Amino acid sequence: MSAYPVRVEARLEEPLNRGLWIVKWLLAIPHYIVLSLLWVAFAILTVIAFFAILFTGRYPRALFDFNVGVLRWTWRVAYYTYGALATDRYPPFTLGPAPDYPATLEIDYPERLSRGLVLVKWWLLAIPHYLVVGLFSSGSAISWRGDSPDAIGGMFYTLDWGGLIGLLVLVAALSLLFTGRYPHGLYDFVMGMNRWSLRVAAYASLMTDAYPPFRLEQGGHELPRMDRPAHVPVRHGAASVVTIVLGSLLAFAGLASAATAAGVTLLDRTRDSGGFIGTSAEHVGTPTYALTTEQVTIAGQNVRFLRQSVGRVRIETTGRPLFIGIARESDVSSYLRGVAHERIARLAYPSGDVTYDRYPGAAPASPPGKQTFWAATGSGSLTWDIQPGDWAAVVMNADGTAGVTTDITVAATLPWLGGLATGLVIATIVLLAAGVGLVLAGIRLAVAPDPEPAQPTPAR
């Protein structure tokens, strides 16, 4: 293996504080602010460098040094925070090299660059690497994120809590919290993904024409090296890598399940005293004699499912009590035939935009309460048990006069919410336990290299 012109070196500084990682996002805010500005400059200078390379075949040295400094600064902050969590030493505020800091990045300055490659390498040629780095960083490889303080290479790399990097760093953080140790096998794997991503970042930022190798060089030190590193990284074989990736995906599913469980639990706690969960009140009104809904068809075979999922339905109006009725759509049409009324064609939540279809006519022959075809009625509030058929709801003044204005809410009991929340909690525990267990098992499957044989002492 020949040396790649992008060199990413790091060392795991132990012991690490058990709980400092919880607040590192807060401690790093000054860096985030500065980097957000530096990345704007990085993007602009990269565009300028593009045209300079296109016309001269050279990357202006001043621009190159600045952009390398931005990558270098970003890598140090990422190493301190949630790109690795492998040091508690606060990153320096500098674009220049900091050889004493445990995370370093160096890029060889290219004397000449291809004018043709500059047109295609940053988008077409790098696509295979974008797919790989996207897996590492939760899909950020294909979206512009140059304003992110944890972004390396703008559109193609972010060090965040997503992807394999984020999940494995989370496992390392939990290990630190409970055991005070950072698993070395996990560290080597995280470093390999970061090194791969930084190489792609430099290539796509036009800093080198050397295509990034498709290899996961793990551990804190580049290979080959003339001197033997203090910490020799373990080697992850296919079984180790597959186990870690599968565990990471399960852990990610567990986090998604936890977020869903939290949302479902919060929704379940919004029940009112009657056990209903409702929408926000939406204002509706018409100068005519009635407001109706569109036809709702409930097939017979779906009634049991709807009763289990929706439960009982409630419609409420505010202000002076209005007549509310639900009846078969054919009966509603017969009653309102020739009566001026409006049908709610669309009621958008949460914007409150309402679209009506108006039907001209005269006043109804009799008030709605005198009709006998209603399946359910109420004054200001109606509760209905779902039945099969074609249904429509009607809101009118009780005396049948014109001018119907109110705020309306629709609610249901949703009997499945409590069970869903419990199921999601159980799924979260199982997925996280299985995911973390597989990650740790994958680390144990890693093979340590054979130690170098001791050199014999020369005879005197």
Side-chain angles (χ1 to χ4, degrees):
M1 295 186 299
S2 61
Y4 191 70
V6 180
R7 293 179 298 282
V8 182
E9 297 274 336
R11 64 180 182 272
L12 179 61
E13 287 199 327
E14 295 180 305
L16 293 167
N17 186 285
R18 289 174 178 254
L20 183 62
W21 62 270
I22 299 174
V23 296
K24 281 186 175 180
W25 65 271
L26 178 62
L27 300 177
I29 285 177
H31 281 285
Y32 293 160
I33 294 173
V34 175
L35 284 172
S36 65
L37 301 175
L38 290 177
W39 272 102
V40 174
F42 182 96
I44 295 173
L45 294 184
T46 301
V47 173
I48 296 173
F50 171 86
F51 289 102
I53 298 168
L54 183 63
F55 291 110
T56 69
R58 294 177 62 87
Y59 199 126
R61 185 59 186 261
L63 275 60
F64 181 87
D65 289 343
F66 180 91
N67 281 355
V68 170
V70 176
L71 284 176
R72 184 185 287 131
W73 190 330
T74 304
W75 167 229
R76 290 193 292 253
V77 174
Y79 192 76
Y80 171 75
T81 57
Y82 307 107
L85 287 178
T87 182
D88 289 340
R89 193 187 305 185
Y90 199 70
F93 286 83
T94 177
L95 292 171
D100 293 335
Y101 196 74
T104 62
L105 168 67
E106 297 297 333
I107 303 176
D108 293 337
Y109 177 72
E111 294 297 334
R112 301 291 299 178
L113 289 168
S114 170
R115 299 184 186 185
L117 280 178
V118 76
L119 296 172
V120 295
K121 66 180 182 181
W122 56 274
W123 65 277
L124 179 61
L125 300 182
I127 286 177
H129 279 288
Y130 290 163
L131 298 176
V132 175
V133 174
L135 176 63
F136 294 164
S137 56
S138 188
S140 298
I142 55 174
S143 61
W144 178 256
R145 291 288 299 277
D147 58 345
S148 170
D150 274 347
I152 293 180
M155 64 180 175
F156 41 80
Y157 184 56
T158 59
L159 287 175
D160 52 29
W161 283 93
L164 291 177
I165 291 176
L167 288 173
L168 295 182
V169 170
L170 176 59
V171 173
L174 295 175
S175 177
L176 277 175
L177 183 63
F178 293 108
T179 70
R181 293 184 62 256
Y182 196 125
H184 284 193
L186 193 63
Y187 171 78
D188 292 337
F189 198 57
V190 168
M191 275 301 306
M193 291 187 288
N194 278 316
R195 180 174 289 114
W196 190 320
S197 301
L198 283 161
R199 288 173 173 176
V200 176
Y203 179 77
S205 299
L206 314 178
M207 294 180 177
T208 180
D209 283 344
Y211 197 71
F214 279 91
R215 63 174 182 257
L216 193 67
E217 291 185 18
Q218 301 169 58
H221 297 293
E222 291 273 355
L223 297 177
R225 285 176 55 87
M226 297 301 295
D227 57 325
R228 183 176 176 83
H231 166 59
V232 179
V234 298
R235 294 288 165 245
H236 292 268
S240 174
V241 172
V242 170
T243 303
I244 290 175
V245 170
L246 180 59
S248 299
L249 294 176
L250 288 177
F252 179 79
L255 294 175
S257 176
T260 306
V264 170
T265 301
L266 290 175
L267 180 62
D268 191 52
R269 290 185 177 181
T270 63
R271 294 183 185 275
D272 59 20
S273 58
F276 285 86
I277 300 173
T279 64
S280 58
E282 299 295 342
H283 185 76
V284 295
T286 177
T288 64
Y289 295 92
L291 279 173
T292 70
T293 63
E294 290 187 306
Q295 173 181 309
V296 177
T297 300
I298 302 174
Q301 62 269 26
N302 294 328
V303 174
R304 182 177 179 181
F305 170 76
L306 287 173
R307 285 176 177 169
Q308 293 174 346
S309 58
V310 177
R312 305 186 75 194
V313 176
R314 185 181 68 194
I315 303 174
E316 287 186 311
T317 59
T318 60
R320 61 191 181 92
L322 297 175
F323 172 87
I324 308 172
I326 291 181
R328 296 191 180 276
E329 196 276 335
S330 57
D331 294 328
V332 171
S333 297
S334 297
Y335 174 60
L336 294 179
R337 186 175 292 114
V339 175
H341 66 280
E342 288 188 341
R343 183 181 65 185
I344 300 174
R346 185 177 69 91
L347 181 58
Y349 292 100
S351 64
D353 295 333
V354 186
T355 302
Y356 302 94
D357 294 330
R358 176 168 290 191
Y359 297 85
S366 59
K370 293 187 177 181
Q371 310 305 313
T372 60
F373 56 77
W374 301 109
T377 62
S379 178
S381 179
L382 173 148
T383 302
W384 180 55
D385 291 317
I386 294 175
Q387 300 294 332
D390 298 329
W391 303 93
V394 178
V395 179
M396 300 178 65
N397 291 320
D399 56 3
T401 57
V404 180
T405 302
T406 187
D407 291 333
I408 190 169
T409 59
V410 179
T413 54
L414 304 181
W416 48 270
L417 270 184
L420 177 62
T422 302
L424 286 171
V425 170
I426 295 173
T428 297
I429 295 172
V430 171
L431 288 171
L432 287 178
V436 173
L438 283 175
V439 169
L440 296 177
I443 294 171
R444 292 181 177 274
L445 287 173
V447 179
D450 294 331
E452 291 183 354
Q455 299 295 324
T457 302
R460 293 186 179 180

